[in-house]
């Protein structure tokens, strides 16, 4: 009995020993950024064999806390860090790209895009609107309104700490005073009591649950649009600050980004939600890498800076061949300069 | 019909129901088995064993190696503590102390694995700053399977016939010699059965590992701390809720391997029991 | 105990130390969790048991709130009632389904399965007990939840109390079958035969004579299985619907259990700069620990340590 066990240990050691040589970086957090990270890491590693980068889709909450704890070198987050956390543990919040969020629904037989507004979504998620054929939904859907079924709405929200929850609840807060004074916004919020509401883990879990649940509604990152299409989920045109209903497209996302990017402060913590402008899509955000300014050793620091510089470079991570696949937009020139400046501060 | 005939008929009917219930159990096990294997066998490719998980799919090399490492170390720890405890309880302890230790170990068997995991997360991962690590994961498995190991060793040692021991003592052997040359060899099949059952339980655990071992896409490094480790149950849990066909295939492949590992250890353990039983009769 | 004559102090001390460690493990875990959760116990007060609202507070608000001498985020409220109800309700309903079913299976194995088939049926029961929790969850997610959602549930949602109950019942049945089978098997055949001699049918002999004579053993194994259901994590997490702030209103409503919340809320809790959310999860773990300790402690007293043969419980 003893010999096979010893042999097993030796075998495992021999297999794992070579892995000790490379520098390892751990990226964890946002499931919205996760598909892009996978594209980036695969391309980057093809030319940088001496670095191993693990990617994990765990949720922005985990991304931030594990970056602070030093477990992960890159904490991916759709949300910038709150002041209270920044005060305790100053971290770099480095935007890598611009992302957006879709509001999806599973209504069999409904074709075309529903119009939805912040106040209507807030009423759905707080249980004041419980059926799809509610007059308040019909009122903003003149064409599709007649097709809406008398079916119970199942609102799906994220059960993990999530930047998607942050940007979605921020849209509700900025557009609906009652939501702002109630549940408010954050990466985890205390959802109003709705008996049919379901929680799901990660963007992937949202797609999975929504496609398995007729008459649901869910908020899902734009990087999952291929999957939501494939699952037959519709996505809504959302009401922006100027009162127009707009779909998430390259035009509407960059219109919204254009309104606010000039106001980006040096630490780059800013909300892009509910931007003014008649073409602006209301739920867009920076995708952040949360990074500790002081790294424990030179090898990790250099590998980390090299990867982030590559991700921010127009000939690297910002190339359309990467971003188009996940429907993200590159950073505008001014923001990109701020981000590279922050990377340079890592020591 | 007479009252007697009615009660006889109802007896037959009820026995039918109870055998039907047994049939349902067998059918459910078969259904789960077929469900997992039907999806998983197609996904079992040789590359699974030679590549690590990447992004939405990839292989299972890291998860298999991690599971084997975590379970091996966990079982070794549990074996040291469990068999040691059983030896003391059977050979040295006063009756009241033996009863107290056995009682606490039985109660430990009912502690939810997530409580063990949370305790170690707070104590080791955060408290001692070990981070997600091999050793924290192995500890969580060790605590969780300890009761099964101790109980099996306890029963096996208790069943050593007194005349064997007395013979050894009468020949002037010291107790340690008796333990190592008579008791442990005699009890070995029972102890091994317990260890195998524990391996089966450890292979299938998830909850305590999420917050102790963490997860890694890469091969485990053997660094005891600060290096997260992958394992098969995590792949089942997370990849099945990804919206990609390739992720689902990986989850089913991991589930199939897990079922095979668990069933193999269980059947192996049972064969030890049968062996012991047959030997006892001979 | 004549072998005490020549003892080896080293072995005695070493094994004794290991035994003390085994014995003390539960107390160590209990004390540790208690110390860790103490600020949460003070902060939450009785609201922990009576409030429906689980809210880690506003991470983006400035300032903090202080209750019981400890601080949390603005708006923080850690009420566990929803999770306690979900845990007890799903486990209780699962037991209602599993207990009669398991008794039927156990007596079928003891009295009706021919001896040459017994190793096979025993193997099936033990294999079922050995199926990992995530595999039950996988099956629940892919097969059971869509079935409930599409065929049974009025809202189209299949995640919830019914799915969790069915999965839990499936998971505790093999444990209960194994333990009750051993208890019934261990009972001497004299009772059965005496009852038959008095003119009972074989069914009456089993249900009116044998089972009542082993009711302590059965009660103990029911409690053991109940304890198992209360603490089950992964399979329930995968099908429960992760309800928050609301009690179930029907068998189809999403629920949440203490164990599932500890897994699904830990990462949210880590974002709480005050740390109170994490400590409140510690209080949840402590509550689950105490509930299962009581259930198991009573079960083991009923079983009086006599039944230490089963490998699965």
């Amino acid at each position: 009995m003893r010999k096979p066990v010893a042999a097993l240990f030796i075998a495992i050691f021999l297999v794992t020993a070579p892995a000790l040589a490379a520098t390892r970086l751990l990226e964890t957090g946002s499931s919205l950024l996760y598909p892009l990270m996978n594209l980036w890491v695969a391309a980057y590693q093809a030319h940088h064999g001496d670095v191993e980068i693990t990617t994990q889709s765990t949720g922005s909450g985990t991304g931030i806390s594990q970056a602070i704890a030093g477990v992960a070198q890159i904490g991916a987050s759709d949300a910038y860090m709150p002041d209270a956390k920044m005060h305790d543990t100053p971290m770099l919040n480095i935007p890598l790209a611009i992302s957006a969020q879709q509001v999806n629904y599973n209504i069999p037989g409904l074709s075309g895009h529903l119009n939805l507004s912040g106040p209507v979504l807030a009423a759905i998620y707080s249980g004041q609107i419980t059926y799809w054929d509610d007059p308040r939904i019909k009122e903003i859907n003149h064409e599709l309104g007649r097709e809406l079924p008398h079916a119970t709405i199942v609102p799906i929200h994220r059960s993990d700490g999530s930047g998607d929850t942050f940007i979605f609840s921020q849209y509700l807060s900025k557009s609906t005073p009652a939501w702002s004074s109630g549940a408010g916004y954050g990466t985890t919020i205390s959802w109003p009591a709705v008996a049919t509401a379901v929680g799901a883990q990660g963007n992937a879990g949202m797609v999975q649950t929504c496609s398995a649940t007729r008459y649901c509604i869910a908020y899902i990152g734009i990087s999952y649009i291929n999957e939501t299409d494939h699952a037959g989920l519709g996505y809504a045109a959302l009401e922006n600050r100027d009162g127009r209903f707009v779909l998430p497209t390259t035009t509407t996302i960059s219109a919204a980004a254009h309104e606010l990017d000039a106001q980006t402060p040096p630490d780059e913590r800013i909300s892009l939600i509910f931007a003014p402008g008649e073409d602006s899509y209301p739920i867009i955000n920076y995708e952040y890498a949360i990074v500790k300014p002081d790294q424990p050793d030179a090898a990790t620091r250099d590998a980390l800076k090299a990867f982030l510089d590559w991700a921010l470079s127009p000939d690297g991570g910002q190339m359309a061949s990467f971003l188009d696949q996940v429907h993200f937009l590159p950073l505008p020139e001014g923001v990109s300069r701020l981000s590279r400046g922050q990377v340079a501060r890592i020591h | 019909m007479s009252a007697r005939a009615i009660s006889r008929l109802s007896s037959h009917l009820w026995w039918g129901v109870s055998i039907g219930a047994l049939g349902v159990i067998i059918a459910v096990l078969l259904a789960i088995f077929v469900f997992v294997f039907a999806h998983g066998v197609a996904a079992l490719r040789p590359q699974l064993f030679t590549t690590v998980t990447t992004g939405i799919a990839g292989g299972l090399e890291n998860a298999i190696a991690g599971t084997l490492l975590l379970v091996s170390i966990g079982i070794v720890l549990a074996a040291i503590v469990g068999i040691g405890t059983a030896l003391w309880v059977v050979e040295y302890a006063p009756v009241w102390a033996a009863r107290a230790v056995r009682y606490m170990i039985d109660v430990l068997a009912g502690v939810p694995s997530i409580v063990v995991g949370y305790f170690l997360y707070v104590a080791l991962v955060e408290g001692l700053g070990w981070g997600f690590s091999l050793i924290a994961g192995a500890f969580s498995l060790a605590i969780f399977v300890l009761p099964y190991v101790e109980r099996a060793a306890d029963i096996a040692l208790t069943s050593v016939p007194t005349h064997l021991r007395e013979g050894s003592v009468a020949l002037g052997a010291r107790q340690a010699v008796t333990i190592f040359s008579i008791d442990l060899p005699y009890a070995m099949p029972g102890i091994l059965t317990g260890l195998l059952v524990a391996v089966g339980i450890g292979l299938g655990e998830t909850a305590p590992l999420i917050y102790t071992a963490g997860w890694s896409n890469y091969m485990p490094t053997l660094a005891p701390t600060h290096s997260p480790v992958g394992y098969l149950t995590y792949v089942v849990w997370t990849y099945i809720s990804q919206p990609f066909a390739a992720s689902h295939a990986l989850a089913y492949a991991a589930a199939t391997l897990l079922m095979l590992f668990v069933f193999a250890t269980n059947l192996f353990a049972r064969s030890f029991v049968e062996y012991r039983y047959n030997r006892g009769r001979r | 105990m004549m072998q005490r004559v020549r003892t080896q102090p080293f072995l005695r001390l070493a094994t004794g130390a290991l035994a003390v460690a085994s014995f003390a493990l539960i107390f160590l875990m209990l004390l540790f969790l208690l110390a860790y959760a103490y600020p949460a116990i003070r902060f939450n007060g009785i609201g922990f048991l009576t409030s429906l609202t689980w809210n880690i507070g506003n991470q983006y608000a400035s300032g903090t709130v202080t209750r019981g001498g400890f601080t949390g985020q603005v708006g923080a409220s850690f009420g566990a009632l929803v999770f306690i109800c979900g845990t007890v309700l799903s486990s209780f309903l699962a037991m209602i389904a599993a207990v009669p079913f398991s008794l039927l299976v156990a007596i079928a194995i003891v009295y009706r399965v021919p001896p040459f088939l017994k190793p096979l049926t025993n193997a099936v029961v033990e294999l079922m007990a050995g199926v990992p929790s995530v595999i039950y969850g996988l099956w629940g997610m892919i097969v059971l939840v869509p079935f409930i959602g599409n065929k049974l549930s009025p809202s189209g949602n299949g995640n919830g109390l019914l799915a969790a109950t069915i999965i839990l019942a499936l998971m505790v049945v093999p444990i209960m079958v194994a333990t009750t089978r051993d208890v019934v098997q261990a009972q001497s055949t004299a009772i059965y035969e005496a009852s038959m001699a008095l003119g009972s049918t074989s069914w009456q002999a089993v249900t009116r004579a044998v089972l009542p004579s082993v009711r302590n053993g059965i009660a103990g194994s029911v409690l053991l299985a109940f304890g198992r259901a209360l603490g089950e994590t992964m399979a329930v997490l995968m099908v429960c619907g992760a309800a928050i702030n609301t009690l179930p209103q029907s068998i189809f409503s999403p629920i949440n259990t203490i164990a599932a919340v500890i897994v699904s809320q830990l990462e949210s809790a880590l974002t709480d700069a005050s740390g109170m959310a994490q400590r409140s999860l510690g209080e949840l773990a402590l509550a689950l620990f105490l509930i299962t300790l009581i259930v198991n402690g009573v079960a083991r007293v009923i079983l009086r340590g006599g039944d230490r043969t089963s490998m699965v419980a």
Side-chain angles (χ1 to χ4, degrees):
Chain A
M1 194 61 197
R2 258 177 227 150
K3 271 182 188 162
V5 172
L8 179 74
F9 271 101
I10 292 168
I12 291 173
F13 183 77
L14 288 179
V15 174
T16 54
L20 291 169
T23 305
R24 292 184 163 207
L25 299 179
L26 174 61
E27 179 272 336
T28 191
S30 164
S31 59
L32 177 52
L33 189 54
Y34 181 66
L36 178 62
M37 272 293 170
N38 283 327
L39 296 173
W40 276 355
V41 166
Y44 187 74
Q45 295 218 301
H47 303 289
H48 298 81
D50 53 337
V51 184
E52 281 187 351
I53 306 174
T54 299
T55 57
Q56 285 180 355
S57 166
T58 51
S60 299
T62 310
I64 294 174
S65 54
Q66 295 203 356
I68 291 173
V71 177
Q73 284 70 46
I74 302 174
S77 175
D78 322 322
Y80 50 86
M81 281 172 57
D83 291 338
K85 274 261 174 193
M86 287 293 281
H87 184 261
D88 291 345
T89 45
M91 301 285 283
L92 301 173
N93 293 232
I94 308 172
L96 298 175
I98 290 173
S99 163
Q101 182 177 73
Q102 20 168 9
V103 173
N104 296 89
Y105 44 83
N106 179 352
I107 306 177
L110 188 83
S111 54
H113 299 282
L114 274 181
N115 286 338
L116 291 172
S117 66
V120 164
L121 285 170
I124 290 174
Y125 274 88
S126 34
Q128 288 145 13
I129 293 180
T130 52
Y131 288 98
W132 276 111
D133 59 354
D134 189 282
R136 294 172 67 184
I137 301 181
K138 282 184 158 173
E139 192 184 300
I140 52 176
N141 288 282
H142 300 298
E143 294 297 314
L144 288 174
R146 268 167 276 126
E147 293 180 37
L148 286 169
H150 185 69
T152 311
I153 304 177
V154 178
I156 308 182
H157 55 77
R158 290 281 290 275
S159 59
D160 51 337
S162 156
D164 289 278
T165 298
F166 175 79
I167 57 181
F168 182 71
S169 57
Q170 208 168 44
Y171 173 52
L172 301 187
S173 293
K174 289 192 177 188
S175 61
T176 316
W179 186 276
S180 176
S181 57
Y185 67 85
T187 51
T188 300
I189 62 169
S190 190
W191 294 97
V194 179
T196 54
V198 173
Q201 192 100 11
N203 267 307
M206 296 288 273
V207 178
Q208 181 84 13
T209 309
C210 195
S211 58
T213 309
R214 281 172 304 154
Y215 307 120
C216 71
I217 187 163
Y219 53 91
I220 298 173
I222 193 93
S223 53
Y224 285 77
I225 200 164
N226 296 341
E227 283 70 42
T228 53
D229 279 354
H230 183 72
L233 306 181
Y235 61 96
L238 297 183
E239 189 182 41
N240 65 17
R241 194 181 279 272
D242 284 21
R244 293 191 59 215
F245 290 91
V246 290
L247 289 168
T249 63
T250 311
T251 321
T252 59
I253 296 169
S254 61
H258 190 70
E259 293 287 339
L260 292 175
D261 61 27
Q263 297 171 27
T264 306
D267 73 355
E268 299 187 271
R269 294 189 302 134
I270 184 176
S271 166
L272 306 181
I273 302 295
F274 213 40
E278 61 173 15
D279 289 332
S280 297
Y281 186 71
I283 314 185
I284 73 158
N285 64 300
Y286 289 136
E287 287 299 305
Y288 290 96
I290 307 292
V291 175
K292 236 189 172 103
D294 48 330
Q295 291 295 317
D297 62 272
T300 308
R301 178 198 65 208
D302 294 344
L304 178 63
K305 289 175 85 162
F307 174 71
L308 289 175
D309 275 330
W310 176 87
L312 289 165
S313 131
D315 324 317
Q318 299 290 305
M319 285 195 299
S321 59
F322 294 117
L323 298 182
D324 285 358
Q325 287 191 59
V326 291
H327 306 271
F328 284 7
L329 291 180
L331 292 178
E333 180 49 38
V335 180
S336 177
R337 204 177 310 120
L338 290 175
S339 286
R340 277 173 295 179
Q342 292 212 76
V343 172
R345 285 180 51 204
I346 302 172
H347 54 271
Chain B
M1 271 203 302
S2 71
R4 175 139 189 89
I6 290 174
S7 59
R8 230 193 254 150
L9 183 67
S10 99
S11 173
H12 282 301
L13 278 176
W14 276 110
W15 280 119
V17 170
S18 99
I19 291 168
L22 176 59
V24 169
I25 292 248
I26 296 171
V28 166
L29 183 71
L30 273 179
I32 293 178
F33 197 78
V34 168
F35 163 76
V36 170
F37 278 64
H39 288 88
V41 169
L44 284 180
R45 296 164 290 110
Q47 301 95 292
L48 284 182
F49 302 93
T50 55
T51 52
V52 294
T53 46
T54 48
I56 60 163
L60 294 171
E61 190 191 13
N62 52 327
I64 295 170
T67 291
L68 294 180
L69 259 181
L70 286 166
V71 172
S72 324
I73 299 177
I75 292 294
V76 169
L77 289 173
I80 294 170
V81 179
I83 298 172
T85 301
L87 271 176
W88 187 76
V89 164
V90 175
E91 309 280 345
Y92 301 104
V95 177
W96 63 269
R99 192 178 287 169
V101 170
R102 283 178 175 145
Y103 181 80
M104 287 316 282
I105 284 185
D106 282 345
V107 173
L108 182 65
V111 174
S113 60
I114 183 64
V115 172
V116 175
Y118 194 81
F119 160 70
L120 290 179
Y121 175 79
V122 173
L124 304 183
V125 177
E126 296 257 295
L128 294 182
W130 287 2
F132 294 125
S133 55
L134 183 60
I135 198 76
F139 265 124
S140 74
L141 291 184
I143 292 180
F144 194 63
V145 301
L146 173 64
Y148 302 89
V149 175
E150 192 281 337
R151 190 184 303 169
D154 193 334
I155 293 168
L157 287 167
T158 309
S159 70
V160 176
T162 335
H163 65 261
L164 286 182
R165 267 186 226 169
E166 283 168 353
S168 172
V169 173
L171 288 172
R174 295 192 312 173
Q175 187 169 14
V177 176
T178 309
I179 287 174
F180 283 107
S181 60
I182 306 283
D183 295 359
L184 280 177
Y186 189 91
M188 199 42 81
I191 294 175
L192 285 179
T193 305
L195 289 178
L196 279 170
V197 168
V199 167
I201 293 168
L203 284 171
E205 263 312 320
T206 320
L209 291 179
I210 292 172
Y211 291 119
T212 50
W215 163 257
S216 165
N217 282 1
Y218 291 100
M219 290 297 286
T221 57
L222 293 190
T225 60
H226 294 288
S227 182
V229 182
Y231 42 95
L232 284 168
T233 46
Y234 182 93
V235 177
V236 180
W237 177 49
T238 50
Y239 281 69
I240 198 62
S241 47
Q242 299 282 329
F244 315 101
S247 314
H248 283 194
L250 195 71
Y252 284 120
T256 306
L257 286 179
L258 264 181
M259 293 273 273
L260 287 176
F261 283 169
V262 170
F263 281 14
T265 47
N266 268 301
L267 291 175
F268 200 34
R270 287 193 64 77
S271 71
F272 266 119
V273 175
E274 302 295 325
Y275 162 77
R276 199 163 44 128
Y277 177 65
N278 289 337
R279 191 181 64 170
R281 279 206 303 195
R282 237 183 282 138
Chain C
M1 290 284 128
M2 48 185 301
Q3 61 266 58
R4 286 258 179 85
V5 179
R6 307 182 69 174
T7 53
Q8 176 77 338
F10 171 73
L11 198 61
R12 183 180 185 155
L13 285 177
T15 58
L18 292 172
V20 169
S22 301
F23 178 82
L25 199 51
I26 284 191
F27 297 104
L28 183 72
M29 288 166 68
L30 202 56
L31 281 178
F32 200 94
L33 283 175
L34 193 63
Y36 183 75
Y38 179 74
I41 296 171
R42 293 294 308 274
F43 183 83
N44 298 329
I46 193 72
F48 181 75
L49 297 175
T50 57
S51 164
L52 294 175
T53 306
W54 185 272
N55 184 352
I56 69 167
N58 189 340
Q59 306 132 279
Y60 288 83
S62 53
T64 52
V65 288
T66 301
R67 286 202 295 269
F70 294 93
T71 53
Q73 293 183 139
V74 174
S77 158
F78 301 99
L81 188 56
V82 172
F83 315 136
I84 295 171
C85 281
T87 307
V88 174
L89 201 56
S90 58
S91 297
F92 187 72
L93 291 178
M95 294 311 290
I96 287 180
V99 169
F101 191 85
S102 308
L103 283 177
L104 285 172
V105 176
I107 60 177
I109 291 178
V110 175
Y111 290 98
R112 278 298 178 269
V113 172
F116 73 96
L117 279 179
K118 275 192 185 169
L120 186 71
T121 48
N122 289 341
V124 167
V125 170
E126 258 139 63
L127 286 183
M128 233 183 120
V131 171
S133 170
V134 281
I135 295 202
Y136 281 105
L138 174 78
W139 182 80
M141 253 178 97
I142 303 296
V143 179
L144 187 61
V145 166
F147 174 79
I148 295 174
N150 293 327
K151 298 286 194 295
L152 306 176
S153 163
S155 76
N157 164 47
N159 291 289
L161 182 55
L162 182 61
T165 299
I166 293 174
I167 290 286
L168 281 177
L170 283 180
M171 295 183 74
V172 297
V173 159
I175 295 169
M176 273 210 59
V177 170
T179 47
T180 47
R181 177 199 61 199
D182 292 349
V183 167
V184 173
Q185 192 110 53
Q187 182 63 309
S188 83
T189 52
I191 291 180
Y192 177 77
E193 275 155 15
S195 178
M196 291 289 281
L198 289 173
S200 308
T201 63
S202 56
W203 180 259
Q204 287 166 338
V206 171
T207 53
R208 295 188 191 165
V210 177
L211 291 186
S213 73
V214 291
R215 73 174 95 71
N216 272 353
I218 291 173
S221 59
V222 167
L223 276 179
L224 276 190
F226 186 55
R228 212 43 103 65
L230 289 170
E232 174 49 42
T233 310
M234 297 312 293
V236 173
L237 175 67
M238 289 163 88
V239 301
C240 71
I244 189 164
N245 299 344
T246 172
L247 290 171
Q249 303 187 335
S250 83
I251 191 89
F252 300 107
S253 295
I255 58 157
N256 223 334
T257 68
I258 299 176
V261 167
I262 295 172
V263 172
S264 67
Q265 289 294 306
L266 183 63
E267 48 190 29
S268 299
L270 291 178
T271 62
D272 179 349
S274 72
M276 189 52 72
Q278 254 203 92
R279 292 188 187 273
S280 295
L281 285 185
E283 192 177 357
L284 275 181
L286 185 66
L288 180 62
F289 196 14
L290 290 175
I291 294 170
T292 51
L293 274 188
I294 291 168
V295 171
N296 279 294
V298 173
R300 293 296 177 183
V301 168
I302 292 176
L303 291 170
R304 280 199 215 92
D307 170 48
R308 280 174 67 92
T309 53
S310 172
M311 282 296 172
V312 292

